[in-house]
Amino acid sequence: MKMLTCSRLSSYFISSVRWLGKSVVVLWFVGDISAQAQQPDQSQKQSESAKAPVKWVQAKDLPTEAAERGNVKEKNGVISTALKWWRSTDRPWDLQIHGFITQAYVLTSDNNVFGKSHKDGSFGLTEAGLNASARPLPKLQLSAQVLSRRAGEGNTGMPRLDFAFLDYRLYSHETDQFGIRVGRLKNPFGFYNDTRDVAFTRPGILLPQSIYFDRTRNLGLSGDSIQLYGETAVARLGTISTQFGVWLPIVSDKDTQLSVLGTDVPRGQLSREVSYIGRGIFETNDKRLRLGISGIWLNTSYDPSSKSNDPIGPGAFQFSPIYFSAQYNTERWTLTSEYAIRHLKYDNNFHSTVLDGQNLYGESYYFQGEYRFTPRLEGMVRYDVLYTDRSDRDGSRWAEKAPGRHGFSRFAKDITVGLRWNVTPEFMLRAEYHHVNGTGWLSRLDNPVPGDSKQYWDLYSILASYRF
Amino acid sequence: MYFALSLSLLAIGTEVRADGHYEIIINPSVKERILSSNTLRSIFSMHLKTWSNGAKIRVFVLSDDDQLHQIVSKEKLNVFPYQLRSTWDRLVFSGTGQAPIKVNSSEEMLEKVASTPGAIGYLWRANINENVNVLEIK
């Protein structure tokens, strides 16, 4: 019965997501129109603050312009009234509501990314989120976000609680802050993980997959935790902000099971065990230089099914990556690089020759440059490298161990170029091209037959995103 | 006619801007008179949430592409507007903070800062009246 409701629910959500996809196309047009409508409005707005003192001149001498302006305002009437209501400052507890919706089209020469993207392409990636935050007391903030992500076999679009927590500021004095957060929290690692599903905050349609795997995203995304955070000024140089959390990871999804156990239909289940996470970021006062270090200590173990004869034993798995991040910002350039070394360790209790005793270090890094031609038009180039096992970078030793294995599934080198066009501050379009050597970060759910995958492949993608 | 007028408007505009006559303004309920520029940046980055007396800080800003917003951002806060935007987005979409409240005009800025307890914003000096206080930044 429960299953039935569940499948009904999910088919309902899938159809609603399809509808969302269509509505994005509509949004695209609306965005275009409103952008055009806003053009004259914006040029006025820019000089408005300067003009204001001589407003009486305008009112008296420019009746025609004033009338035109009124017209433009009327065109945006319904949307802007609604937005004004959202933005209204009179709501109790300083309530704020924000959200976003993103639709991408992905076409690949070989291999599948976010659904059946091979040859015909697919509209397989849809992301939508809605969040609310409130401050019932000056030092207390409550925040929650619901997220729907449809991306290939791993994410069906079923909405999930992305975060929901309370944040209490224990100490606050000028540039020094200290506080505690309790609830479901986004995991703070690297520069991008906290907001990885919001297209506006990502440096591309795809994040550097070597570090921000979309394949095992749910594992690293958020968890139920208690976090302490602090921020303090360092002499006159800048600020250091730190976060440290104790958390229970979310390990119940197919992607995670497949990655950890090698099967997405285990008879038993992975159990949540106490894990740790921490991040420190140093930022100069002008935010030009940002340096970060983050680490995760993730624990999970397998609970075999007691009823059936489970082939997998009660093993324990540990994942402990460390990330180093650096960014330099100028008016036009943003240069970013991150490096990760990932320790994966299985104990000897899985009763599996593949898993037992596996103990390896993966390595990842990328270099990325973003260039703002104008505030509205940005270009991006990136080189992103993943090695599943740094002591076997080309995967040859791994491939020798069993027939039918491809060494190229143990690494990926991705060259990316992309364009971003901020049509309005709320609406964005993107286009991106990837040339990839290796299949190291491909989802095994979307690419179930290893023999079908190709070593060299291309990915083309466009994306539209709206936020409020 | 149009041309002459826009030219004169432009002249007045540059005059206003040339001597940097803009100010950080606060609601009269705020007791602070002087702030360091680092504290000001902490406020506009939405990290510092309360005034020294414990009252809520409420931050008001103009649109990202507004000229005054860009000037205040670069000159007073010493960061580029796109960096403020990405700071705010990180807070909002990770739930660890709130966005400043966007106003659409100088008039609205004046009105909102004058009427909202704990409010802070910025304006060209010519648009400021006695309903708000000016904050000195050192």
Side-chain angles (χ1 to χ4, degrees):
Chain A
M1 178 59 201
K2 211 175 178 184
M3 285 291 290
L4 199 73
T5 341
C6 238
S7 72
R8 256 188 216 155
L9 257 178
S10 71
S11 71
Y12 164 75
F13 281 121
I14 288 166
S15 66
S16 63
V17 161
R18 275 195 199 122
W19 176 85
L20 282 179
K22 281 177 200 157
S23 59
V24 164
V25 179
V26 176
L27 265 179
W28 193 316
F29 286 115
V30 173
D32 247 9
I33 294 163
S34 72
Q36 281 161 16
Q38 275 176 24
Q39 296 298 354
D41 199 26
Q42 252 159 22
S43 59
Q44 278 173 358
K45 220 192 282 172
Q46 276 183 2
S47 51
E48 188 168 26
S49 35
K51 272 191 218 164
V54 286
K55 199 129 216 183
W56 59 274
V57 181
Q58 284 182 318
K60 203 167 61 179
D61 295 355
L62 285 175
T64 42
E65 196 196 345
E68 271 168 26
R69 221 164 139 186
N71 258 339
V72 172
K73 287 229 167 100
E74 263 169 44
K75 270 187 207 165
N76 299 336
V78 181
I79 297 171
S80 69
T81 314
L83 281 176
K84 257 184 205 147
W85 184 84
W86 288 120
R87 291 270 173 277
S88 148
T89 49
D90 307 328
R91 275 174 289 151
W93 288 8
D94 297 81
L95 176 70
Q96 287 192 2
I97 295 178
H98 295 275
F100 59 91
I101 178 160
T102 303
Q103 177 63 52
Y105 171 80
V106 181
L107 171 70
T108 47
S109 64
D110 300 280
N111 309 326
N112 285 318
V113 174
F114 302 146
K116 296 205 166 33
S117 59
H118 178 31
K119 281 183 184 160
D120 293 333
S122 91
F123 284 94
L125 177 67
T126 311
E127 299 166 305
L130 188 66
N131 81 50
S133 61
R135 289 170 69 194
L137 300 168
K139 292 184 169 184
L140 179 68
Q141 180 174 328
L142 309 172
S143 314
Q145 176 161 287
V146 173
L147 179 78
S148 158
R149 185 169 192 268
R150 190 185 60 109
E153 292 288 317
N155 295 92
T156 57
M158 177 76 93
R160 69 177 237 172
L161 187 64
D162 195 29
F163 59 73
F165 61 92
L166 62 87
D167 176 332
Y168 192 77
R169 188 65 59 93
L170 298 163
Y171 173 81
S172 179
H173 180 71
E174 296 187 346
T175 50
D176 298 329
Q177 328 289 337
F178 180 69
I180 185 168
R181 300 181 179 127
V182 181
R184 176 163 296 183
L185 278 149
K186 303 292 281 208
N187 280 334
F189 72 80
F191 282 146
Y192 300 111
N193 192 61
D194 322 27
T195 58
R196 62 185 295 160
D197 299 311
V198 190
F200 280 89
T201 70
R202 289 198 295 254
I205 295 177
L206 293 183
L207 275 169
Q209 291 293 304
S210 72
I211 291 190
Y212 304 96
F213 291 101
D214 278 323
R215 189 173 75 201
T216 52
R217 64 190 304 284
N218 294 342
L219 188 62
L221 190 62
S222 57
D224 298 320
S225 74
I226 296 175
Q227 247 179 42
L228 294 173
Y229 68 92
E231 191 178 299
T232 185
V234 190
R236 297 192 150 264
L237 296 172
T239 53
I240 288 185
S241 46
T242 50
Q243 280 159 276
F244 177 78
V246 179
W247 62 298
L248 291 173
I250 299 163
V251 291
S252 55
D253 60 292
K254 284 201 283 183
D255 255 348
T256 306
Q257 288 168 342
L258 185 63
S259 298
V260 176
L261 300 169
T263 170
D264 59 326
V265 282
R267 294 182 190 173
Q269 57 189 356
L270 288 169
S271 69
R272 314 172 74 187
E273 288 181 10
V274 175
S275 302
Y276 307 91
I277 189 160
R279 178 174 69 187
I281 290 183
F282 169 77
E283 220 173 49
T284 55
N285 282 332
D286 55 13
K287 296 185 200 277
R288 278 180 185 246
L289 182 66
R290 302 176 67 215
L291 300 170
I293 177 167
S294 17
I296 300 178
W297 185 277
L298 186 147
N299 296 301
T300 180
S301 61
Y302 184 69
D303 282 338
S305 161
S306 53
K307 288 174 201 152
S308 65
N309 202 1
D310 200 324
I312 306 177
F317 167 77
Q318 210 175 72
F319 177 55
S320 42
I322 296 175
Y323 306 85
F324 298 90
S325 315
Q327 186 172 71
Y328 189 73
N329 292 292
T330 70
E331 184 143 31
R332 291 194 177 261
W333 280 101
T334 295
L335 304 172
T336 312
S337 180
E338 295 192 280
Y339 171 89
I341 183 149
R342 289 167 282 113
H343 187 198
L344 274 163
K345 196 174 147 197
Y346 290 81
D347 71 5
N348 289 318
N349 301 318
F350 284 94
H351 309 321
S352 153
T353 50
V354 183
L355 302 180
D356 274 346
Q358 228 195 99
N359 186 356
L360 55 87
Y361 288 87
E363 191 175 50
S364 315
Y365 59 87
Y366 71 88
F367 300 98
Q368 172 183 280
E370 294 161 88
Y371 186 79
R372 284 165 282 276
F373 297 100
T374 72
R376 293 195 164 187
L377 189 66
E378 293 170 30
M380 182 268 283
V381 291
R382 183 199 296 152
Y383 181 60
D384 178 39
V385 177
L386 162 76
Y387 299 112
T388 307
D389 181 354
R390 74 195 288 251
S391 65
D392 180 26
R393 294 188 177 208
D394 62 0
S396 57
R397 278 198 285 129
W398 180 82
E400 275 167 20
K401 283 184 190 155
R405 281 184 174 182
H406 293 300
F408 63 74
S409 70
R410 303 287 278 179
F411 64 84
K413 299 170 187 179
D414 179 352
I415 298 169
T416 307
V417 290
L419 268 183
R420 168 180 175 157
W421 178 28
N422 300 310
V423 183
T424 73
E426 290 81 29
F427 183 68
M428 169 188 79
L429 296 173
R430 243 180 187 149
E432 203 163 289
Y433 166 72
H434 295 249
H435 176 71
V436 193
N437 170 14
T439 59
W441 46 255
L442 280 182
S443 162
R444 282 168 228 164
L445 288 170
D446 289 327
N447 302 274
V449 185
D452 290 352
S453 54
K454 299 282 187 299
Q455 179 174 358
Y456 295 94
W457 54 290
D458 301 293
L459 181 149
Y460 307 83
S461 182
I462 51 172
L463 170 148
S465 185
Y466 178 79
R467 68 142 168 227
F468 58 87
Chain B
M1 164 69 190
Y2 237 85
F3 180 68
L5 213 117
S6 58
L7 209 85
S8 69
L9 277 177
L10 207 78
I12 295 166
T14 33
E15 203 178 290
V16 171
R17 266 167 263 145
D19 43 8
H21 281 179
Y22 61 89
E23 300 287 353
I24 303 298
I25 53 165
I26 45 176
N27 181 272
S29 70
V30 177
K31 296 289 166 267
E32 270 81 352
R33 287 290 166 271
I34 303 173
L35 278 190
S36 71
S37 60
N38 283 350
T39 305
L40 186 71
R41 188 182 316 105
S42 192
I43 289 174
F44 276 89
S45 301
M46 305 301 285
H47 287 184
L48 180 58
K49 297 178 175 187
T50 49
W51 295 109
S52 55
N53 67 358
K56 277 183 197 173
I57 298 178
R58 293 185 171 98
V59 182
F60 290 84
V61 293
L62 290 160
S63 158
D64 285 10
D65 47 18
D66 182 275
Q67 193 186 18
L68 179 57
H69 175 74
Q70 297 185 346
I71 292 173
V72 170
S73 174
K74 285 188 210 167
E75 292 182 0
K76 282 277 188 235
L77 306 176
N78 199 20
V79 293
F80 301 115
Y82 78 86
Q83 294 173 298
L84 281 179
R85 171 54 59 193
S86 65
T87 301
W88 300 336
D89 283 349
R90 276 199 295 272
L91 294 174
V92 167
F93 291 108
S94 65
T96 54
Q98 288 193 311
I101 300 150
K102 196 186 128 197
V103 293
N104 295 310
S105 63
S106 305
E107 291 82 356
E108 197 185 347
M109 178 68 87
L110 183 65
E111 180 203 318
K112 285 285 160 65
V113 173
S115 64
T116 313
I120 184 168
Y122 45 74
L123 271 182
W124 294 111
R125 193 179 279 176
N127 296 344
I128 296 174
N129 69 15
E130 66 288 350
N131 296 334
V132 295
N133 289 344
V134 167
L135 196 58
E136 189 188 327
I137 308 302
K138 56 160 204 264

